[in-house]
Amino acid sequence: MSYFDAASSAPLHPVARQALQASLDEGWADPARLYREGRRARMLLDAAREAAAEAVGCRTDELVFTSSGTKAVHSGIAGVLAGRRRIGRHLIVSAVEHSSVLHAADAHEADGGSVTQVAVDRGGAVAVGAYADALRPDTALACLQSANHEVGTEQPVGEVAAVCRAAGVPLLVDAAQSLGWGRVEGDWSVLTGSAHKWGGPSGVGLLVVRKGVRFAAQGPADERESGRAAGFENIPAIVAAAASLRAVRAEAAQEAVRLRELTERIRARVPRLVADVEVVGDPVRRLPGIVTFSCLYVDGETLLHELDRAGFSVSSGSSCTSSTLTPSHVLKAMGVLSEGNVRVSLPLGTAAEDVERFLEVLPGAVAGVREKLGAPMPEKVVQDEDVLVVDSLGKRCPIPVIELAKVIGDVPVGGLVRVLSDDEAARLDIPAWCEMRGQEYVGEETAENGTAYLVRRVS
């Protein structure tokens, strides 16, 4: 079985396993106590903090360990917003942040705060000027991930940090995906990370708050972790997290070159092996191990099951794999195709032979899914003057797009196809199909039982 979902959770690094097992015998006592066992536990905790701080590039008294990366994000955002409440209650986030950031933004807005969401380009990157334009006198905090978790696009953190610093606004960086590859450059103010993303154990997060940043920890007071993370520290897991971070950093430069070559192989060959595929994310400014693509006329969940049966564990941002039947907020913000979406994220040590086998299996898996769907003709196709109407109400992705593709040739050049759909994914996938196939997306209209999407045949 080839595990290609390291962006969700990386396999436990051998160094992490060794450190975890060793520290179970020494790090079980209360590090706040003065007796021998407590002192041993404190030494392990202090050593782990020093190692993590060195990897991040911060002071040891700026870094605390939390119970997860999500907890670090929530605590960091809440703490800075509370500490700068007198400045204002305006928060800035990008449209492609991790859900932990967006959920925190929703909670802030529900509590009476205001939120500005900065758009991204088709590659998934923000514009530095957009953050500058979003800054206001009442801005308390800005948030920007270092690299995207779904498509791998790296963000201009250094430039955005400089803009925010000039305006006196702290920048919180979610570095969960990138921290294993290297330090986050720039004059950021707050940083978060998650150990299971770099091969450490789950249940350990990092929260770094630079000296001088106004911060007020929320919730009941607790004496542990400088009052910023309540609860008894899981010292064995923390030791394993710090040890694995140091270990993956030692391998990062060499592995980055190797994994980048493998993902570039996938980016280049998938469109040649499979028809009607869109590779998404910035082709240059991206993490070494992540590559994402979307396949037209494919049910994402079925494709993932087919790849799983073939021995490959991958993930997807397709609405077809979601219980909510809405596409990934990242793909939606980018304006790219969501149906048949596949994210391949390679863990350290991935063999080139496994990638080659994936490229051999993929075309047959996609073809099999498309054959199962049958690309059926629409049940109701009526000619209304110069407009061909396709009734796809009650059908889910990718059927509306399949039916559009089947009939576009039935209208003359310049003619319109009106696709009726009540599937939220169609709002993203039909314009994306037009972009890929060289047709004109005219827009959408409210229909009686859903939405009408208008497409003009150009060629």
Side-chain angles (χ1 to χ4, degrees):
M1 191 74 182
S2 296
Y3 180 77
F4 286 177
D5 195 23
S8 292
S9 189
L12 193 66
H13 195 281
V15 169
R17 179 175 283 103
Q18 294 169 4
L20 181 63
Q21 292 174 339
S23 57
L24 284 172
D25 292 330
E26 297 291 331
W28 51 267
D30 187 344
R33 303 308 174 199
L34 299 180
Y35 42 70
R36 181 175 53 191
E37 294 86 356
R39 293 196 304 273
R40 286 177 183 168
R42 170 55 63 181
M43 289 175 62
L44 288 173
L45 181 59
D46 288 346
R49 197 184 314 277
E50 289 176 9
E54 192 279 331
V56 170
C58 67
R59 294 169 38 154
T60 55
D61 58 352
E62 294 174 331
L63 185 150
V64 299
F65 295 104
T66 65
S67 57
S68 69
T70 295
K71 182 63 176 176
V73 166
H74 291 171
S75 298
I77 292 176
V80 176
L81 289 175
R84 289 174 51 83
R85 193 181 182 99
R86 291 186 179 180
I87 301 296
R89 303 200 64 200
H90 179 231
L91 172 66
I92 303 173
V93 300
S94 85
V96 294
E97 294 298 311
H98 188 270
S99 58
S100 61
V101 174
L102 298 183
H103 290 162
D106 290 342
H108 175 63
E109 197 166 32
D111 192 41
S114 60
V115 177
T116 296
Q117 195 171 99
V118 177
V120 297
D121 61 21
R122 196 170 175 84
V126 302
V128 178
Y131 264 78
D133 293 342
L135 291 167
R136 304 185 332 205
D138 65 335
T139 301
L141 176 66
C143 300
L144 180 62
Q145 59 188 188
S146 54
N148 186 258
H149 50 292
E150 290 195 26
V151 299
T153 297
E154 294 179 321
Q155 300 291 357
V157 171
E159 296 94 322
V160 171
V163 167
C164 291
R165 177 67 66 178
V169 174
L171 178 69
L172 182 148
V173 179
D174 170 16
Q177 286 297 333
S178 72
L179 204 53
W181 296 107
R183 291 182 178 180
V184 176
E185 301 301 328
D187 199 8
W188 47 265
S189 301
V190 183
L191 180 140
T192 64
S194 186
H196 74 101
K197 300 290 188 178
W198 65 67
S202 58
V204 180
L206 301 180
L207 171 60
V208 180
V209 181
R210 295 285 200 190
K211 290 295 181 182
V213 177
R214 292 180 181 177
F215 188 94
Q218 299 302 285
D222 194 285
E223 69 275 11
R224 300 189 184 271
E225 292 301 296
S226 304
R228 292 177 179 172
F232 195 95
E233 298 94 342
N234 185 347
I235 293 176
I238 288 171
V239 170
S244 58
L245 181 56
R246 176 180 286 179
V248 298
R249 282 289 188 82
E251 308 165 4
Q254 185 174 353
E255 270 296 278
V257 173
R258 201 178 66 83
L259 292 187
R260 197 176 293 280
E261 190 279 327
L262 293 178
T263 53
E264 190 58 42
R265 192 181 304 183
I266 297 172
R267 288 181 65 89
R269 288 175 57 184
V270 165
R272 298 201 298 265
L273 294 169
V274 181
D276 297 314
V277 164
E278 181 178 17
V279 181
V280 302
D282 193 288
V284 179
R285 291 191 56 162
R286 57 186 176 85
L287 292 175
I290 299 179
V291 56
T292 304
F293 55 89
S294 300
C295 309
L296 273 173
Y297 321 133
V298 169
D299 179 302
E301 184 172 6
T302 304
L303 179 57
L304 261 59
H305 286 317
E306 289 296 322
L307 291 172
D308 182 48
R309 279 192 285 269
F312 295 96
S313 302
V314 298
S315 64
S316 174
S318 171
S319 62
C320 305
T321 64
S322 169
S323 60
T324 61
L325 295 177
T326 57
S328 149
H329 72 277
V330 172
L331 301 178
K332 188 174 182 179
M334 293 167 61
V336 297
L337 184 71
S338 76
E339 67 186 43
N341 178 259
V342 174
R343 179 187 68 182
V344 174
S345 49
L346 306 178
L348 301 179
T350 297
E353 305 84 70
D354 290 341
V355 171
E356 284 299 321
R357 192 167 68 86
F358 174 78
L359 292 171
E360 292 174 4
V361 165
L362 181 68
V366 173
V369 174
R370 286 172 173 168
E371 184 178 0
K372 286 179 181 178
L373 289 173
M377 290 295 291
E379 294 178 2
K380 298 178 183 178
V381 179
V382 296
Q383 191 75 33
D384 180 11
E385 299 178 351
D386 294 328
V387 181
L388 187 65
V389 179
V390 178
D391 187 344
S392 291
L393 294 170
K395 300 175 183 178
R396 301 303 177 194
C397 78
I399 299 302
V401 180
I402 289 177
E403 295 187 340
L404 167 62
K406 282 288 187 178
V407 303
I408 192 70
D410 294 342
V411 299
V413 174
L416 289 174
V417 177
R418 191 170 188 260
V419 183
L420 302 177
S421 177
D422 52 3
D423 180 13
E424 178 64 24
R427 180 168 281 108
L428 180 63
D429 291 346
I430 289 176
W433 179 88
C434 292
E435 179 76 19
M436 293 175 66
R437 308 306 291 173
Q439 307 299 341
E440 179 187 354
Y441 178 64
V442 178
E444 64 179 68
E445 301 173 345
T446 301
E448 183 177 353
N449 296 312
T451 303
Y453 301 94
L454 293 174
V455 176
R456 187 184 309 280
R457 182 183 175 190
V458 174
S459 58

